Amino acid sequence: MLRFLFRRLLIAIPTMFIVVTLAFFMMRAAPGSPFVNERHLSPEVEANVMAKYGMNRPLAVQYATYVGGVLHGDLGPSLKYKDKTVLKIISEGFPHSLLIGGLAMTIAAIVGVSLGVVGALRQNGPADYTAMGVAVLGVCIPTFVTAPLLVLLFASMLGVLPTGGWPTASQPLSSAWRYFVMPVAVLSLPQIAIISRLTRAGMIEVLRSNYVRTARAKGLPEHSVVLRHALRGAILPLVSYLGPATAGVITGSLVVERIFSLPGIGRAFVASALQRDYTVVMGVVILYAGLILFLNLVADVLYAALDPRVRLS
Amino acid sequence: MRAWRTLMLAGAALGALMASSCDSGGSRPPCPAGKLCYERGNVIDPLTLDPLKATTVNEDHLLGDMFTGLVQYDPMGEPAPGMATSWKTSADGLTWTFHLRDAKWSDGAPLTSDDFVYSLRRLMDPKFASEYAYILYMITNAEAVNGGKLPLTALGVDAPDAHTLRIHLTHPVPYLLRVATHETMYPVPRHVIEKYGDQWTDPRHWVSNGPYIIKSWVLGDRIHAVRNPYFYDAKSVCIDEVNYHPGSDAIAVERAVRRGEIDSANDIQSNRIAYLRRPDQIPAYVHVKTWLGTTFLGFNPNAVPAFKDIRVRQALTMAIDRDFITNKLMRGGQLPAYTFVPPGVASYPGSEPPHWAGWSLERRQTEARRLMALAGYTPQHPLKFEFKMRNTNDPQLIYPAVQADWRAIGAEASLYPEESQIAYSDYSARNFQAADIAWIADYNDPMTFLYLMKSTTGPQNYTDYKNPAYDALLDQADHEVDIVRRGQDLAKAEHMAMEDATIAPIFFYVSKNLVSPKITGWVDNLSDWHRTRYLCFAGHKPPG
């Protein structure tokens, strides 16, 4: 087990290195510059600005400097948000995205797995059709449609939830939770849909397998067969899906953060890419790659824990 | 069956919970008891809180509440005394002397004329690399200092005593007070900057001299500001705390304003304005007013030889149905533009529009077809060129219409939308044939528009317009002490450039604010500046 973890960490280093290198050069190859807008800088001033951020040096030198900085935990200054470092932007935005995304994934996992199990047990019954119908809708309707619809209903018409925004630090949880309801719901709906379908498919397959038949033959009660034996096998495909999906959701969604005015990292990421804020884009890419590597590792460990046939060595 | 009942019960419980908590006073951020808190929408987060690095209008909406320059905007957006109580100009117009009031920074330290000298030198310091320093190049030696050719001390500002500031100019600038309202001329606290360096803008170290001071900033969330007790005129300030909310989704912000979560927003999606003005909607919230900005087209004569032919440029310009664009497509109160400088700009009589501007659309189109035919182009054998445009909402909406207008007179433009950043970098590099360009004034004066077409302007003279007569009129205006004669010179120059059709103005911008009627003291104005210090809530008044 330890050897496995060690080996995976060793593989992660070149992977991260390749990601950083590709992102760095792709970003610089994109046309445009962070310092161009309709106000043109005089050549002297532009040279001053470039020198200030070390961008007057050859690209290879900039790359080496950047990688050196990253190794020391320094992601550099933001080129657009002149008062903020990349680390500060990430450390301000990421916790918000993590909270919303984490809640959404937790809810999605609980609801999705439940729906999937119900669907598989009552296969082709009304409960199955209802659950899967909802799931198909959840996948088909994009978040930029569900979000405004929910806002229209719960904020504008019923007036029971805020239209968006983030509670202040001093606000008690008893009123702060209302800000999270709609973003979490919008983010979790498509995930519920995918998770429930994956669970249902896995469950149907496992329920027909020999070990489940054996469990039933032993005379185990139905809930024990389903929850203790079948479910463990059925959610294996789900585990490999959840790793990257969680990484995607907790690093923030542009659409949800924009519509609900959330101070998350997803919006900052897209804005930075459009404004050519190279360092912020790089920082978020590194965060995202690191999360995916980490969560995939977690998924592999979970695999071994759930399925005795998998050996990690 | 049981599962369904549980689900319904849970739903009912959730509904009850939501209903019970909604009478806790909506969802405005908490406001200390007895205080007036203003939730102010401000489109995007500032890129910096350092006024000398700031470049955007939204930054000044915020920083103008934190800092007070020599002069400041009054409620009508006009310059009024600020840190300076009075000023005088030398007879030749080249030296301005400002007399400062007794004032303090928000940490209690005295503010003197040395602070202004320090700030202006900091702005011009090549190492500081301000992107906006050029706006003050009329100060003696500024350009050379900013280019690193002269030391900072050579800059034409000095402080004979603690309450007097002198600014020396390379040419008379009768509109200097309007320039002095700009954020690049705010004083910054030397004693704090020398202690914390670039970190001085961290809200923990924040010191400024305006009506408010910044307490916290979370990117994408809000900037929280409270009263500055040391502000010289604190007793006339009504609102105690301000939260500036970024919100680039205009529709989301509109909903928040309707629900009273935000008190004012400084943008409305153009095509919502007519709807919001309906009597059953929120007509009292909608504030639309002509603004200091113009969208125009540029023709690059070095990329398309046909654009060297004045007949072609005139034809392309006169064939555009601007009324259709503003009334049917934009629908936000924007005005069709036949000249470059927006109407109402200060110290300016306005220029005479080109000779065809008063014609009917049919007559203009017939004439355009005739001019194109003379130049050798017909709808059967059209002039073909690429038209680069920004891929934002308005350009995508209006240029297909322009494309159709042109097709009818024998010009076939293919549209190339690009991200704004890339578009402007292409325009500056002249990597375009024809282009859509927008210009927002730096201050309320015609020169901020007209210098764009001066041959010495360089990259921002997008069409490389080179007309010695035009240049001469602008130079003459720059040396004119009499502001009326200066305006006449500039108007003559503008008319010349418009007849030359080097650019094709399309429409003048409007400012679009959505303001709750609870807010009092809001005056719509051409410059669109609304400092929080003049605002209040209905039924309240300032402590003084």
Side-chain angles (χ1 to χ4, degrees), chain A residues 30 42 51 56 62 86 107 123 141 228-229 234 243 298 301 312:
Chain A
S42 74
N56 53 349
Q62 292 182 42
V86 175
I107 290 174
Q123 204 185 336
I141 307 182
R228 290 256 306 275
H229 297 276
V298 172
V301 173
L312 294 182

Side-chain angles (χ1 to χ4, degrees), chain A residues 38-39 83 161 163 166 168, chain B residues 49 222 259 261 440 460:
Chain A
E38 80 279 12
R39 299 283 188 267
D83 307 345
L161 292 172
T163 58
W166 196 263
T168 55
Chain B
L49 297 180
R222 80 197 65 173
R259 279 211 57 201
E261 294 168 2
I440 310 281
Q460 283 182 309

Side-chain angles (χ1 to χ4, degrees), chain A residues 153-293:
Chain A
L153 180 64
F154 289 104
S156 297
M157 286 162 70
L158 297 178
V160 290
L161 292 172
T163 58
W166 196 263
T168 55
S170 60
Q171 236 162 317
L173 195 64
S174 58
S175 68
W177 67 272
R178 295 162 62 243
Y179 288 88
F180 305 142
V181 175
M182 283 195 285
V184 168
V186 169
L187 268 184
S188 58
L189 269 179
Q191 298 300 332
I192 289 175
I194 296 168
I195 291 173
S196 64
R197 290 179 64 82
L198 281 173
T199 312
R200 178 177 177 273
M203 202 69 185
I204 288 174
E205 198 184 316
V206 170
L207 282 175
R208 293 188 187 127
S209 67
N210 289 334
Y211 76 87
V212 169
R213 198 174 310 128
T214 311
R216 288 216 169 100
K218 278 200 304 186
L220 286 180
E222 184 65 14
H223 64 85
S224 173
V225 172
V226 171
L227 297 179
R228 290 256 306 275
H229 297 276
L231 190 57
R232 269 176 79 162
I235 61 172
L236 282 178
L238 189 62
V239 169
S240 43
Y241 167 76
L242 279 181
T246 307
V249 170
I250 64 179
T251 43
S253 146
L254 166 74
V255 174
V256 170
E257 287 178 7
R258 212 182 125 110
I259 292 178
F260 293 109
S261 308
L262 303 178
I265 197 76
R267 197 162 59 151
F269 181 51
V270 175
S272 309
L274 292 180
Q275 300 176 331
R276 304 288 180 268
D277 193 342
Y278 301 134
T279 47
V280 174
V281 173
M282 294 292 301
V284 180
V285 165
I286 290 174
L287 171 76
Y288 190 66
L291 275 173
I292 288 196
L293 287 174

